[in-house]
Amino acid sequence: MEALIEMLGNATFENYVGAAEGYTEMAYQMSAHVLTLGFAIMLAGLLYFVLTIKTVAPKYRTSSVLSGVVMVSAFLLLYVQSQNWTSAMVYDADTARYVLGDGNDLFNNGYRYLNWLIDVPMLLFQILFVVTLTKSDFSSIRNQFWFSGTAMILTGYVGQFYEVTNPTLFFVWGFISTIFFVHILILMKRVISEGKEGAPPKAQKYLGYIWVLFLFSWMLYPGAYLMPYLTMTLDPVLSETLVVGRHITYTIADVSSKVIYGIFLTLAAQEMSKAEGYDYETMKNAL
Ligand code: RET
């Protein structure tokens, strides 16, 4: 391990596995496939948000626009992330494994974190364009979402560099990040509860789903952060299963927190539009 640390420093643990034992065909390919699936879904999502924009009344359309922005940025990032995986690992015919190539870029999840800097504020703002707040102030919530969202990501970004080399720093930065995360959860709970008041029953149902989906999908990100430590030891575990698990976790989290979330917001906005006399199914008052 010492020799590996000397060679790889603060590289993420995917590189350590690649340098130590390398990846079996199955682990390497499953990772490559799930990363590809991730960016393909973002492009499909973009099509959905563009094509459904007129099914909601004009005042709700900013939500679809923000989903579109998220789809484009996530598509580009996830494409780069997938290329990063295939260029960092090379096939070694002697051992029949994919190993860390020399001379190429190392693999790094940092691209994801920087993409979240765009997507997290967009996803948080998005719901504010669908619900009507009864007590809280729109700009105050928006600013708090922005502040805590950015702080959560930047502190986590610093922490993830230490996932192999310095567990103490890794957990300290992770803990600071979690404080901002808890603040976001409290704000979101408040936004959804206020949004439900006065919303038509079907829209209330969708807002209920959105809260559960939000909790589940956003929790997967800290889960992926902790993945190298999942076996309850205080040392990171170098295992290809955990690497594949991390790629799969990120993909499920991305699809749920960006695409499915956006779809539920569209469905809620359609119900609200109908209640206000804008019914896309009959298009009586379509603009
Ligand atoms: C980090 C660091 C460890 C502690 C916590 C984290 C939370 C990350 C979250 C990210 C959400 C990202 C989304 C992206 C969508 O594009 C930074 C991993 C709590 C919640 C929704």
Side-chain angles (χ1 to χ4, degrees):
M1 192 70 178
E2 293 297 304
L4 278 180
I5 289 183
E6 199 138 297
M7 181 172 114
L8 292 170
N10 283 345
T12 49
F13 94 116
E14 289 86 351
N15 301 291
Y16 279 82
V17 178
E21 289 175 4
Y23 292 93
T24 55
E25 171 70 7
M26 201 164 157
Y28 171 84
Q29 296 294 0
M30 279 174 82
S31 304
H33 298 161
V34 83
L35 288 168
T36 306
L37 178 68
F39 70 80
I41 292 179
M42 297 302 143
L43 206 56
L46 178 65
L47 203 61
Y48 172 87
F49 294 114
V50 170
L51 292 177
T52 55
I53 193 161
K54 287 206 167 157
T55 64
V56 300
K59 71 172 186 181
Y60 299 117
R61 290 184 190 165
T62 311
S63 168
S64 306
V65 173
L66 292 178
S67 272
V69 170
V70 168
M71 292 301 107
V72 172
S73 81
F75 171 78
L76 289 173
L77 162 281
L78 292 174
Y79 179 75
V80 171
Q81 190 76 61
S82 151
Q83 297 291 305
N84 184 208
W85 173 255
T86 45
S87 69
M89 307 299 161
V90 293
Y91 186 65
D92 174 26
D94 293 338
T95 55
R97 285 182 177 242
Y98 293 80
V99 295
L100 194 69
D102 44 1
N104 285 321
D105 198 5
L106 294 185
F107 182 76
N108 194 278
N109 284 303
Y111 295 108
R112 293 187 182 278
Y113 285 68
L114 295 189
N115 166 255
W116 301 342
L117 276 180
I118 309 170
D119 289 355
V120 162
M122 294 303 129
L123 293 168
L124 294 172
F125 292 169
Q126 197 178 344
I127 193 165
L128 297 176
F129 289 97
V130 175
V131 303
T132 310
L133 298 175
T134 47
K135 295 188 243 0
S136 311
D137 175 48
F138 179 95
S139 16
S140 156
I141 298 271
R142 183 199 54 204
N143 294 345
Q144 292 184 65
F145 266 159
W146 181 83
F147 178 80
S148 284
T150 326
M152 171 184 84
I153 296 158
L154 290 177
T155 48
Y157 177 70
V158 178
Q160 55 97 30
F161 280 110
Y162 298 111
E163 66 180 18
V164 180
T165 49
N166 193 333
T168 311
L169 282 179
F170 172 75
F171 283 110
V172 169
W173 283 110
F175 178 75
I176 301 174
S177 172
T178 306
I179 298 173
F180 295 109
F181 181 43
V182 171
H183 182 222
I184 295 174
L185 291 178
I186 294 170
L187 287 174
M188 186 52 109
K189 175 82 191 137
R190 200 191 316 157
V191 166
I192 291 183
S193 310
E194 287 187 28
K196 274 185 176 174
E197 292 169 24
K202 275 198 183 161
Q204 286 188 4
K205 189 182 76 181
Y206 288 129
L207 287 172
Y209 294 160
I210 289 173
W211 171 242
V212 177
L213 178 76
F214 184 83
L215 263 187
F216 160 79
S217 59
W218 284 53
M219 295 283 231
L220 291 176
Y221 293 95
Y225 182 90
L226 289 174
M227 207 126 297
Y229 290 84
L230 270 194
T231 51
M232 296 292 167
T233 58
L234 278 174
D235 286 317
V237 184
L238 301 184
S239 130
E240 66 171 13
T241 311
L242 291 182
V243 171
V244 180
R246 175 135 91 174
H247 291 310
I248 295 176
T249 306
Y250 274 134
T251 304
I252 296 176
D254 283 342
V255 174
S256 326
S257 71
K258 303 182 224 254
V259 186
I260 303 179
Y261 170 78
I263 293 176
F264 275 131
L265 278 175
T266 305
L267 295 175
Q270 284 171 352
E271 294 306 326
M272 293 173 183
S273 305
K274 279 186 201 164
E276 289 158 16
Y278 181 98
D279 187 345
Y280 74 98
E281 274 164 359
T282 55
M283 278 297 173
K284 269 189 290 215
N285 300 314
L287 292 179

PDB file of all heavy atoms in Angstrom, residues 135-147:
ATOM      1  N   LYS A 135     -45.693  30.594   3.182  1.00  0.00           N
ATOM      2  CA  LYS A 135     -45.127  31.405   4.274  1.00  0.00           C
ATOM      3  C   LYS A 135     -43.729  31.926   3.946  1.00  0.00           C
ATOM      4  O   LYS A 135     -43.413  33.079   4.208  1.00  0.00           O
ATOM      5  CB  LYS A 135     -45.050  30.570   5.560  1.00  0.00           C
ATOM      6  CG  LYS A 135     -46.417  30.167   6.109  1.00  0.00           C
ATOM      7  CD  LYS A 135     -46.297  29.514   7.456  1.00  0.00           C
ATOM      8  CE  LYS A 135     -46.715  28.107   7.633  1.00  0.00           C
ATOM      9  NZ  LYS A 135     -47.236  27.207   6.708  1.00  0.00           N
ATOM     10  N   SER A 136     -42.887  31.067   3.373  1.00  0.00           N
ATOM     11  CA  SER A 136     -41.490  31.462   3.180  1.00  0.00           C
ATOM     12  C   SER A 136     -41.332  32.429   2.014  1.00  0.00           C
ATOM     13  O   SER A 136     -42.187  32.516   1.141  1.00  0.00           O
ATOM     14  CB  SER A 136     -40.640  30.234   2.911  1.00  0.00           C
ATOM     15  OG  SER A 136     -40.902  29.255   3.852  1.00  0.00           O
ATOM     16  N   ASP A 137     -40.183  33.102   2.028  1.00  0.00           N
ATOM     17  CA  ASP A 137     -39.896  34.082   0.996  1.00  0.00           C
ATOM     18  C   ASP A 137     -39.079  33.415  -0.125  1.00  0.00           C
ATOM     19  O   ASP A 137     -38.053  32.770   0.142  1.00  0.00           O
ATOM     20  CB  ASP A 137     -39.103  35.220   1.660  1.00  0.00           C
ATOM     21  CG  ASP A 137     -38.654  36.246   0.657  1.00  0.00           C
ATOM     22  OD1 ASP A 137     -39.492  36.673  -0.155  1.00  0.00           O
ATOM     23  OD2 ASP A 137     -37.451  36.592   0.664  1.00  0.00           O
ATOM     24  N   PHE A 138     -39.524  33.583  -1.353  1.00  0.00           N
ATOM     25  CA  PHE A 138     -38.896  32.952  -2.522  1.00  0.00           C
ATOM     26  C   PHE A 138     -37.390  33.239  -2.586  1.00  0.00           C
ATOM     27  O   PHE A 138     -36.569  32.328  -2.669  1.00  0.00           O
ATOM     28  CB  PHE A 138     -39.599  33.450  -3.794  1.00  0.00           C
ATOM     29  CG  PHE A 138     -39.049  32.905  -5.083  1.00  0.00           C
ATOM     30  CD1 PHE A 138     -39.621  31.790  -5.688  1.00  0.00           C
ATOM     31  CD2 PHE A 138     -37.964  33.505  -5.716  1.00  0.00           C
ATOM     32  CE1 PHE A 138     -39.125  31.278  -6.888  1.00  0.00           C
ATOM     33  CE2 PHE A 138     -37.451  33.008  -6.909  1.00  0.00           C
ATOM     34  CZ  PHE A 138     -38.039  31.900  -7.497  1.00  0.00           C
ATOM     35  N   SER A 139     -37.009  34.535  -2.518  1.00  0.00           N
ATOM     36  CA  SER A 139     -35.579  34.829  -2.723  1.00  0.00           C
ATOM     37  C   SER A 139     -34.722  34.354  -1.562  1.00  0.00           C
ATOM     38  O   SER A 139     -33.569  33.975  -1.757  1.00  0.00           O
ATOM     39  CB  SER A 139     -35.312  36.300  -3.023  1.00  0.00           C
ATOM     40  OG  SER A 139     -36.377  37.091  -2.695  1.00  0.00           O
ATOM     41  N   SER A 140     -35.307  34.359  -0.345  1.00  0.00           N
ATOM     42  CA  SER A 140     -34.518  33.875   0.790  1.00  0.00           C
ATOM     43  C   SER A 140     -34.243  32.372   0.630  1.00  0.00           C
ATOM     44  O   SER A 140     -33.103  31.918   0.802  1.00  0.00           O
ATOM     45  CB  SER A 140     -35.280  34.159   2.083  1.00  0.00           C
ATOM     46  OG  SER A 140     -34.873  33.281   3.087  1.00  0.00           O
ATOM     47  N   ILE A 141     -35.264  31.604   0.273  1.00  0.00           N
ATOM     48  CA  ILE A 141     -35.062  30.157   0.085  1.00  0.00           C
ATOM     49  C   ILE A 141     -34.075  29.915  -1.062  1.00  0.00           C
ATOM     50  O   ILE A 141     -33.165  29.090  -0.967  1.00  0.00           O
ATOM     51  CB  ILE A 141     -36.402  29.456  -0.244  1.00  0.00           C
ATOM     52  CG1 ILE A 141     -37.400  29.616   0.895  1.00  0.00           C
ATOM     53  CG2 ILE A 141     -36.186  27.984  -0.601  1.00  0.00           C
ATOM     54  CD1 ILE A 141     -37.341  28.550   1.952  1.00  0.00           C
ATOM     55  N   ARG A 142     -34.250  30.658  -2.156  1.00  0.00           N
ATOM     56  CA  ARG A 142     -33.365  30.481  -3.313  1.00  0.00           C
ATOM     57  C   ARG A 142     -31.902  30.724  -2.906  1.00  0.00           C
ATOM     58  O   ARG A 142     -31.017  29.935  -3.230  1.00  0.00           O
ATOM     59  CB  ARG A 142     -33.777  31.467  -4.419  1.00  0.00           C
ATOM     60  CG  ARG A 142     -32.988  31.322  -5.694  1.00  0.00           C
ATOM     61  CD  ARG A 142     -33.106  32.572  -6.549  1.00  0.00           C
ATOM     62  NE  ARG A 142     -32.731  33.756  -5.774  1.00  0.00           N
ATOM     63  CZ  ARG A 142     -33.131  34.995  -6.045  1.00  0.00           C
ATOM     64  NH1 ARG A 142     -33.935  35.226  -7.054  1.00  0.00           N
ATOM     65  NH2 ARG A 142     -32.740  36.012  -5.292  1.00  0.00           N
ATOM     66  N   ASN A 143     -31.659  31.817  -2.160  1.00  0.00           N
ATOM     67  CA  ASN A 143     -30.280  32.117  -1.761  1.00  0.00           C
ATOM     68  C   ASN A 143     -29.715  31.071  -0.819  1.00  0.00           C
ATOM     69  O   ASN A 143     -28.546  30.679  -0.919  1.00  0.00           O
ATOM     70  CB  ASN A 143     -30.203  33.492  -1.089  1.00  0.00           C
ATOM     71  CG  ASN A 143     -30.540  34.594  -2.070  1.00  0.00           C
ATOM     72  OD1 ASN A 143     -30.565  34.368  -3.284  1.00  0.00           O
ATOM     73  ND2 ASN A 143     -30.817  35.787  -1.565  1.00  0.00           N
ATOM     74  N   GLN A 144     -30.543  30.577   0.092  1.00  0.00           N
ATOM     75  CA  GLN A 144     -30.059  29.538   1.020  1.00  0.00           C
ATOM     76  C   GLN A 144     -29.775  28.239   0.281  1.00  0.00           C
ATOM     77  O   GLN A 144     -28.785  27.559   0.556  1.00  0.00           O
ATOM     78  CB  GLN A 144     -31.098  29.289   2.112  1.00  0.00           C
ATOM     79  CG  GLN A 144     -31.268  30.455   3.057  1.00  0.00           C
ATOM     80  CD  GLN A 144     -32.242  30.090   4.180  1.00  0.00           C
ATOM     81  OE1 GLN A 144     -31.988  29.221   4.987  1.00  0.00           O
ATOM     82  NE2 GLN A 144     -33.388  30.751   4.200  1.00  0.00           N
ATOM     83  N   PHE A 145     -30.638  27.899  -0.678  1.00  0.00           N
ATOM     84  CA  PHE A 145     -30.403  26.711  -1.510  1.00  0.00           C
ATOM     85  C   PHE A 145     -29.053  26.846  -2.210  1.00  0.00           C
ATOM     86  O   PHE A 145     -28.246  25.922  -2.243  1.00  0.00           O
ATOM     87  CB  PHE A 145     -31.487  26.595  -2.589  1.00  0.00           C
ATOM     88  CG  PHE A 145     -32.659  25.716  -2.214  1.00  0.00           C
ATOM     89  CD1 PHE A 145     -33.882  25.853  -2.873  1.00  0.00           C
ATOM     90  CD2 PHE A 145     -32.555  24.737  -1.235  1.00  0.00           C
ATOM     91  CE1 PHE A 145     -34.969  25.036  -2.560  1.00  0.00           C
ATOM     92  CE2 PHE A 145     -33.641  23.919  -0.914  1.00  0.00           C
ATOM     93  CZ  PHE A 145     -34.847  24.076  -1.580  1.00  0.00           C
ATOM     94  N   TRP A 146     -28.840  28.013  -2.789  1.00  0.00           N
ATOM     95  CA  TRP A 146     -27.617  28.233  -3.548  1.00  0.00           C
ATOM     96  C   TRP A 146     -26.393  28.136  -2.636  1.00  0.00           C
ATOM     97  O   TRP A 146     -25.431  27.440  -2.929  1.00  0.00           O
ATOM     98  CB  TRP A 146     -27.673  29.605  -4.245  1.00  0.00           C
ATOM     99  CG  TRP A 146     -26.439  29.848  -5.050  1.00  0.00           C
ATOM    100  CD1 TRP A 146     -26.196  29.416  -6.308  1.00  0.00           C
ATOM    101  CD2 TRP A 146     -25.257  30.533  -4.610  1.00  0.00           C
ATOM    102  NE1 TRP A 146     -24.925  29.775  -6.682  1.00  0.00           N
ATOM    103  CE2 TRP A 146     -24.336  30.461  -5.667  1.00  0.00           C
ATOM    104  CE3 TRP A 146     -24.889  31.182  -3.428  1.00  0.00           C
ATOM    105  CZ2 TRP A 146     -23.068  31.028  -5.570  1.00  0.00           C
ATOM    106  CZ3 TRP A 146     -23.622  31.740  -3.338  1.00  0.00           C
ATOM    107  CH2 TRP A 146     -22.731  31.661  -4.402  1.00  0.00           C
ATOM    108  N   PHE A 147     -26.460  28.830  -1.504  1.00  0.00           N
ATOM    109  CA  PHE A 147     -25.317  28.874  -0.593  1.00  0.00           C
ATOM    110  C   PHE A 147     -24.957  27.475  -0.079  1.00  0.00           C
ATOM    111  O   PHE A 147     -23.826  27.020  -0.203  1.00  0.00           O
ATOM    112  CB  PHE A 147     -25.610  29.820   0.581  1.00  0.00           C
ATOM    113  CG  PHE A 147     -24.494  29.871   1.584  1.00  0.00           C
ATOM    114  CD1 PHE A 147     -23.376  30.659   1.335  1.00  0.00           C
ATOM    115  CD2 PHE A 147     -24.540  29.104   2.742  1.00  0.00           C
ATOM    116  CE1 PHE A 147     -22.316  30.688   2.235  1.00  0.00           C
ATOM    117  CE2 PHE A 147     -23.485  29.125   3.652  1.00  0.00           C
ATOM    118  CZ  PHE A 147     -22.376  29.921   3.403  1.00  0.00           C
TER     119      PHE A 147
END
